[in-house]
Amino acid sequence: MKKVTTDLTRENIANWKELVLKEYNFKANGSTIQCGHLHPLNKVKRQVGMIFQQMGFEEKPANANSYVESSFWNFDVLFQPQQHPARDAHDTFFLKNPSTAKTLHEHKEYLEKDKYYSVDRVFMNESVDRTHLAEFHQIEGVICGKGLSLGHLLGVLEEFFSRMGMSSKLRLKPAFNLYMEPNMEIFSYHEGFKKWVEVGNSGMFRPEMLRSMGFPEDVRAIAWGLSLDGPTMIRYGVNNIRDLFGHKVDLKLIEKNPICGIRLQGTDPDAYDLNFLVQTY
Amino acid sequence: MPTVSVGRDRLFEALGRTYTQEEFEELCFKFGIELDDVTTEKAIIRKEKHLEEDEVSGDDEIIYKIDVPANRYDLLCLEGLSQALRVFNGLEPIPEYKVAGIDEASMLKMHVKPETSQIRPYVVCAVLRGITFDEVRYNSFIDLQDRLHHNICRRRTLVAIGTHDLDSIEGPFTYEALPPREIKFVPLKQTREFAADELMEFYRSDQKLKKFLHIIENSPVFPVIYDRNRTVLSLPPIINGAHSAITLKTKNVFIECTATDLTKANVVLNTMVTMFSMYCKNKFEVEPVKVIYPDGKSHCYPDLSLYQMEVPLSYATSIVGVDLPGNEVASLLMKMQLHVEESASRDNVVVSVPPTRSDILHPCDVAEDVAIAYGYNAIPKRIPSSLSPFLLNQFGDLMRSEIAMAGFSEVLNWILCSHKENFTMLNRKDDKKTAVINGNPRSADFEVVRTSLMPGILKTAGHNKDHPKPIKIFEVGDVVLLDESRDVGARNQRQCAALYCGANSGFELIHGLVDRIMEVTGTAFEETPGDNTGYYIKASDEPEFLSGRQADIIYKGKKIGTFGIVHPEVLKNFDIPDPCSFVELNLESFL
């Protein structure tokens, strides 16, 4: 006489020949796995870091890992005139304590070796909306050397985006930035939106700035700043930055998202971004 | 790598001094050879035949087994090895090998018959005149042939060496290829005559020779060398004739190398004659033999001329990585038996490659010898450009993975917060000496730079009241603390914090996470608290935690963090209805 059972157990394993397993419902999900999770932004950040390292960039956190920055480095070195609007209280956090012309850093580049990157928090004193926060993550890179051209800038950026598995269709728009000449905004063609979207800013540092920092005549530096949050929102289909970053996050979002870095089967690179935009949580 | 066995005492005698084993190993190491084993002939025989100690009679002389590079055929015998080391040690100049100047008419001749082209088309010959053998030299002479046969000759397929007592035979010689049945002679170590086809059958059971039979056995003609009296010198590549066999008493040696590869045949012949011409009456002198081909072309062997190679000085020194002047490069190369001509140009060295150094093919081989003579380990070290990880971030990432593996989910909170979230809501007072305060915040959310990860994590828990319990979250991130020693007046500090929120406090679970963090950072629990060898836990009294269920974490004598049940008033301030436990510690303490 065969026994019907739902499971193989310590008690019945010896008599396994006599057991009949009850039909399993393969239409239901399995049990929820109890496990820890890494934050999606940090998953993308790790991938960005790995790509830059593979491309020969060394990680150098901005301002030796200090969020508090002097006005000298935040503005003066970057050719920001005393009366420039960015120095106004509107954009920058000026500190009451410590008080001597300290700001929370916005942008800082390192020009000691030849190729550096950093992915770090920056601060902007502005109102918060669905795409803007007072804090965000910036991917910054700089290459310093002889014979560098805008071609190198385009080449590095295109390679980076292509390794990120994102559209590597890029174009540069002339722009104005005090410490950069030439200076250009970076636009990427978004296959999902079917339009060009701004993904960052870039250019070549002004020679006056490099000379004043002690670099020889023939040394040039190209640099860029890209958003980490933007690509992460696209990658994980998040429409509001506050759903991703900060205490208003829904923990389910952190718990249920795919890995970042390996292009999985069935994720064709162009359809890819769109796929995640239509995904809902 | 070929191994050469040489008698230790004879080697030391040739080197003009004795060495301890350690000293000799050091010399080998510098030169690029390796003392592989130290043994005796007795031990070798015992090992081969699996015999007991007293059953073996044999020499007790110590034998060094030395590994030499596979392209240095000149190191395959005691003669070449000791000479190379003598020159390397500066005891002796580079030997100058000469072909004896004898007139064409009195030169020995070897006539090549056209049929040889069907089976083994080349032959090169030379004579060592007035040689003095003793038992050791004789054995070395035989061993060298074996080693050459095994290595460069590719088990005799490319080249086969025959050596003969010249006084037992008479030139001119002929190199022919005949049907096997027509070749009849008494082979070495036999006493009766064999026809060549019969001999092949006979050797089929010979352990040593049977593996060479395939080289010719399917050919309609076999190669054979005769003297003018039709005495068979050899049936290459199988066996020599018994008639011309060399002995300890042999004074004049005729060497013939038959081949399918002429270049290798020359290397083999040159190696044989250069190594053993040191025992000739006229030291380092070799008598030539003229080889005449059916088309009338003739060549005299051996060719012991020096091969000139021009090497840009900068090429050689830049490979080594040391800036050396031409004369220094010249004296270094001298140690490696490479003679450098006085050069007209300062930028090039002209290297004369002797016939013993067939391994020198390209200037890079010269550069290698410059490096060996300079001493690989004396070269200043340089590091090619490489990337260094940023230690704090790397450590932070490793800890994030560990905590996630412990079942906690990562959150990422803002660094700016309101003044009351950072202080009063945590039951803390602002001592005005800790927190960076914004002068122009656009909203109350950005008044203060956080001094702890606690407000952000509590806010996250408060916003996720509907999430199934328990909630286990963590954050690794920077806080900013006032610091007068810094030019900007403040510094970042990397913290790690975790929270448990459920139906009960989860205090023991958070305590367990502290232990786990210590485990993965290799920190021992101090059985005797205060001995500063690891960490211990000590009851604390912080306002944000419940009294009696909170503790400081003391790492190597220093407080690095606190954990406890979050004070019910604090939970109420953050709108959290369920009990929570929380830990926060300074990650930088571990580095």
Side-chain angles (χ1 to χ4, degrees), chain B residues 309-322 329 347-349 362-368 370:
Chain B
M309 184 187 281
E310 202 165 316
V311 180
L313 188 60
S314 61
Y315 174 80
T317 55
S318 67
I319 283 182
V320 181
V322 182
V329 168
D347 301 331
N348 287 309
V349 288
H362 181 276
C364 70
D365 297 306
V366 175
E368 181 194 51
V370 173

Side-chain angles (χ1 to χ4, degrees), chain A residues 35-39 41-42 53 56-59 61 65-70 89-90 92-98 102 104 113 121 123 125-128 133-135 137 245-251 254-255, chain B residues 386-388 390 392-393 400-401 404 407-416 432 435-442 446 449-450 456 459-460 463-464 467 471 473-474 478 480 482 487-492 494:
Chain A
C35 62
H37 309 84
L38 294 176
H39 195 281
L41 253 171
N42 279 337
Q53 282 167 26
F57 287 75
E58 185 163 305
E59 184 178 19
N65 229 26
S66 172
Y67 290 141
V68 177
E69 180 77 282
S70 76
H90 305 305
T92 304
F93 288 112
F94 287 91
L95 308 179
K96 194 154 75 181
N97 186 12
K102 306 294 179 347
L104 283 180
K113 223 173 162 187
R121 196 76 62 91
F123 303 88
N125 194 5
E126 65 179 4
S127 306
V128 172
L133 285 180
E135 300 176 26
H137 294 89
F245 170 40
H247 58 272
K248 290 183 179 161
V249 67
D250 181 350
L251 288 176
I254 292 169
E255 289 163 359
Chain B
S386 61
L387 303 173
S388 312
F390 186 71
L392 180 60
N393 286 3
R400 287 174 45 240
S401 300
F408 288 76
S409 295
E410 186 178 31
V411 296
L412 205 56
N413 286 305
W414 300 348
I415 284 154
L416 301 175
K432 313 281 184 198
V436 170
I437 310 291
N438 262 330
N440 58 340
R442 198 162 276 201
F446 314 136
V449 185
R450 67 184 178 188
K459 281 196 281 180
T460 305
H463 270 92
N464 280 277
H467 190 276
I471 288 175
I473 52 177
F474 79 100
D478 283 12
V480 177
L482 290 175
D487 60 344
V488 293
R491 69 182 154 87
N492 282 28
R494 187 134 320 162

Side-chain angles (χ1 to χ4, degrees), chain A residues 21-36:
Chain A
L21 283 172
K22 197 181 156 201
E23 202 170 312
Y24 188 81
N25 179 8
F26 287 104
K27 285 180 180 155
N29 284 331
S31 309
T32 305
I33 298 295
Q34 297 300 319
C35 62

Side-chain angles (χ1 to χ4, degrees), chain B residues 205-222:
Chain B
S205 57
D206 185 298
Q207 282 308 317
K208 188 178 171 208
L209 294 178
K210 68 176 180 190
K211 45 185 189 279
F212 306 119
L213 303 180
H214 73 96
I215 304 171
I216 58 168
E217 68 181 340
N218 294 322
S219 167
V221 289
F222 284 5

Side-chain angles (χ1 to χ4, degrees), chain A residues 196-232:
Chain A
W196 293 90
V197 291
E198 188 187 343
V199 292
N201 204 321
S202 65
M204 231 179 240
F205 283 117
R206 292 194 69 90
E208 301 96 307
M209 179 186 148
L210 294 178
R211 298 303 90 81
S212 72
M213 296 176 90
F215 286 95
E217 280 295 327
D218 51 350
V219 168
R220 294 180 195 147
I222 54 180
W224 59 88
L226 310 168
S227 160
L228 175 72
D229 310 303
T232 308

Side-chain angles (χ1 to χ4, degrees), chain B residues 138-154:
Chain B
Y138 180 87
N139 290 338
S140 176
F141 189 69
I142 304 296
D143 282 352
L144 177 60
Q145 290 175 58
D146 275 350
R147 293 205 181 94
L148 289 170
H149 275 152
H150 202 79
N151 293 291
I152 182 174
C153 302
R154 290 280 138 76

Side-chain angles (χ1 to χ4, degrees), chain B residues 266-285:
Chain B
N266 273 309
V267 172
V268 170
L269 180 69
N270 287 352
T271 304
M272 289 298 297
V273 298
T274 51
M275 296 299 103
F276 284 88
S277 59
M278 70 188 308
Y279 300 133
C280 287
K281 194 159 149 261
N282 295 324
K283 200 175 177 185
F284 300 135
E285 187 178 277

